[in-house]
Amino acid sequence: LNVISLAGIAFAVGMVVDAAIVVLENIYRLRQQGMPPKQAAYEGASQVWGAILVSALTTVLVFMPILVMQLEAGQLFRDIAVAISVSVMLSLVVAVTVVPALCSALLGAGKAKLSVVPVPVVDHFGRGFSAIMGGYARLTVKSRLVGLTVVAAITGGAIWGSINYLPKLEYLPQGNRNLVFGVILPPPGYNLATTTETAERIEAVARPLWEKEETGDADAPPAIENFFFVASRGFTFLGGSAKDADRVAELIPTLSRPIFAEPGTFGFISQRSLFGRGIGGGRVIKLNITGGDLEEILGVAQRAAGKVGQVLPRREGNQFRPRPGLELGSPELRMVPDRVRLADAGIDARTLGLTLDAFNDGVRIDEITVGSERIDLMLKGRAAFAETARTQDIGAFPVVAPNGRIVPVSALAEIVLTSGPIEIRHQDRERVITLEISPSSAMPLETALEVLENDVIAPLQGEALPDGVTLSLAGAADQLTQTWNALQWNLLLALVIVFLVMAVLFESFILPMVILISVPVAGAGGVMGLYILNLYQEQPLDMLTLLGFVILIGIVVNNAILLVHQTQHHLSADGMSVNDAILEATRNRIRPIFMSTLTSVIGMAPLVVFPGAGSELYRGLGSVVLGGLSLSALLTILLVPPLLRITMSVPGTAKPAAALAPAE
């Protein structure tokens, strides 16, 4: 039980009453027509049993592809999927057992009809809306051309709006963890004194913040609760937490200012993600430059770093650091053997290397047993000689030739004082330098990837890279691509599952197509909900938010199922004509459609509207479901009647209704 599964239960609060509303409303309608309570309870539940069964199955089975996802995001999806699925299936059982039993006992027993208490505003609005929808249904059912025009306009507009207003993709929500963490890469060669000066400058900025109390002043930096700074050879990091956890992200610019004032300093400071395991959280993009020659990939990495700094400037909140570095800053003494001189002296390169090792830190000759211990037998040069030798004296180290002559190292090799890397990293057996890029929170991950592909990688490849040097994106880029590809297939598979379930229960391949027309409409509603939310607070289209579109596939078809099923009932059980059956079904199902939609919308609204700890994780998901349900409730009534009029003319389309109608 965590914040994600609790969000799933909260979403289910508005959904679990849908089946009960449909059953209760149908029983209530029959009682208003004068049917006895027990008969109304039985007939009312029997008439809609097929519809609510199909609705529940589509809601649950749409999660089947999600339950088998093996990616990192799959665990989050499963928590919500299980919470909603179990709740909906149990609500179906209650709707066809408890609700009819209570209705037979409570809905006006001993009365011929139920009396209705008038509610002025609501009744007038309801009658007016029903009249408008009835007139629209009569017009579109009577004229197929008008119906096709309306369907094409609404569907085309929904698809156009979805494409043009869909936000860029993000991987996972960051959450609001009360910790900022930074990694600093100072220029090579910084000694302890210089590093201490850097730490003191950062401390001078941080000290007033941890000594003050939180005042709630939005213009001042938040008070610091904890702060740390750790430096070691080649690796420096710092971090802190705020007394007001909601304002911890405001510490980033405050702590960054004294760090990056140092010339040649790289690194980044970011708020730690709830889901990211590596340094930098869940939004770090890795630009890997791989190859066989270290100096060649270092040159390409320097050019890439320059381009990254131009297209993702630090002043806009973007940060990056190279691993291990863009300079060969570690002093290094190289002995390059001269093979001609070695041959003249009768010495091979291996002997020269072992001799240098012996004078340096010793050569392991063998392993011997002394008492009960096994120790290494080491061959070392004289300790006094090694300790007093200077760098320039290494050329005087003696090397014994096979003929007994003693030859200095300088006579056998060229001694070069140069610089070397602090660390050599490998990827797939190739040397690699990685630029770890953390885009600003205002830039979606997909946008950052497009910028790096088009403005960094493509120009570098156009400038002719050295042979064997390649550039690739990894980290959050890989995770986003894998999850997005998996979700695309899951969305398609969810549509197929919903279609097949309806095809089996309706015994028709045409009617499920009519019902699925509500999916693109709901998608447009989800995009609309996300767009409206972004007008007030930033909400990217992360993978958890994208799950909302999967949920919509399963629940927005419920309204269309009610209309189709009720139309079939009127055709088979009541012997109506196609036009009359469609109009009667539309008139009878307006009330339960809007009742179930309102309960779902009101049940989910607090998750979107009210802030709170963890709300940033599921707020986007809630806005998608909220927008999709709200828009589809209206547009389904506009789309399904004209489509039913067109498809019901196909021979055999209306026949399977007998399979779902109650037995006489």
Side-chain angles (χ1 to χ4, degrees), residues 128 132 154 288 297 303 439 461 498 512 591 598 603 620 633 642:
I132 293 172
I154 293 176
N288 292 323
I297 64 174
R303 289 156 54 194
Q461 292 173 338
V498 169
R591 185 165 62 178
L598 280 175

Side-chain angles (χ1 to χ4, degrees), residues 17 39 95 142 146 195 284-285 309 352 436 464 513 611 634 646:
V17 295
Q39 184 182 356
K142 182 178 179 181
V146 173
T195 304
V284 174
I285 304 171
L352 174 62
E436 293 188 347
M513 297 299 296
L634 174 63
I646 296 169

Side-chain angles (χ1 to χ4, degrees), residues 39 116 126 145 226-227 251 286-287 301 363 435 507 583 595 620:
Q39 184 182 356
V116 179
L145 179 61
N226 296 296
F227 176 79
L251 291 176
K286 296 181 180 180
L287 175 56
V363 177
L435 301 183
E507 298 183 14
L583 294 176
M595 287 173 67

Side-chain angles (χ1 to χ4, degrees), residues 271-332:
Q271 185 179 4
R272 301 292 290 129
S273 169
L274 289 176
F275 306 111
R277 290 192 296 266
I279 293 175
R283 302 188 76 246
V284 174
I285 304 171
K286 296 181 180 180
L287 175 56
N288 292 323
I289 301 101
T290 58
D293 187 285
L294 186 61
E295 294 186 357
E296 286 183 349
I297 64 174
L298 183 62
V300 175
Q302 290 171 342
R303 289 156 54 194
K307 293 183 181 298
V308 170
Q310 292 174 0
V311 299
L312 298 174
R314 182 178 291 173
R315 64 178 178 274
E316 296 179 3
N318 305 291
Q319 305 177 69
F320 84 95
R321 68 157 181 156
R323 293 187 63 193
L326 296 177
E327 298 177 1
L328 300 176
S330 179
E332 184 173 280

Side-chain angles (χ1 to χ4, degrees), residues 172-212:
L172 285 176
Q174 288 289 96
N176 193 33
R177 187 175 177 184
N178 189 11
L179 175 64
V180 294
F181 188 86
V183 178
I184 307 169
L185 190 66
Y190 263 31
N191 56 24
L192 180 61
T194 309
T195 304
T196 303
E197 291 176 4
T198 303
E200 289 173 348
R201 280 195 291 272
I202 298 172
E203 184 181 5
V205 172
R207 179 179 294 277
L209 298 179
W210 78 60
E211 290 179 346
K212 77 167 189 174

Side-chain angles (χ1 to χ4, degrees), residues 327-351:
E327 298 177 1
L328 300 176
S330 179
E332 184 173 280
L333 197 64
R334 297 181 185 174
M335 267 64 70
V336 184
D338 188 321
R339 299 190 179 277
V340 176
R341 295 180 187 177
L342 287 173
D344 290 343
I347 302 173
D348 57 24
R350 183 173 181 275
T351 301

Side-chain angles (χ1 to χ4, degrees), residues 465-484:
L465 296 174
D467 291 339
V469 176
T470 59
L471 291 89
S472 62
L473 294 174
D478 270 351
Q479 295 167 326
L480 176 64
T481 302
Q482 292 173 10
T483 308
W484 170 238

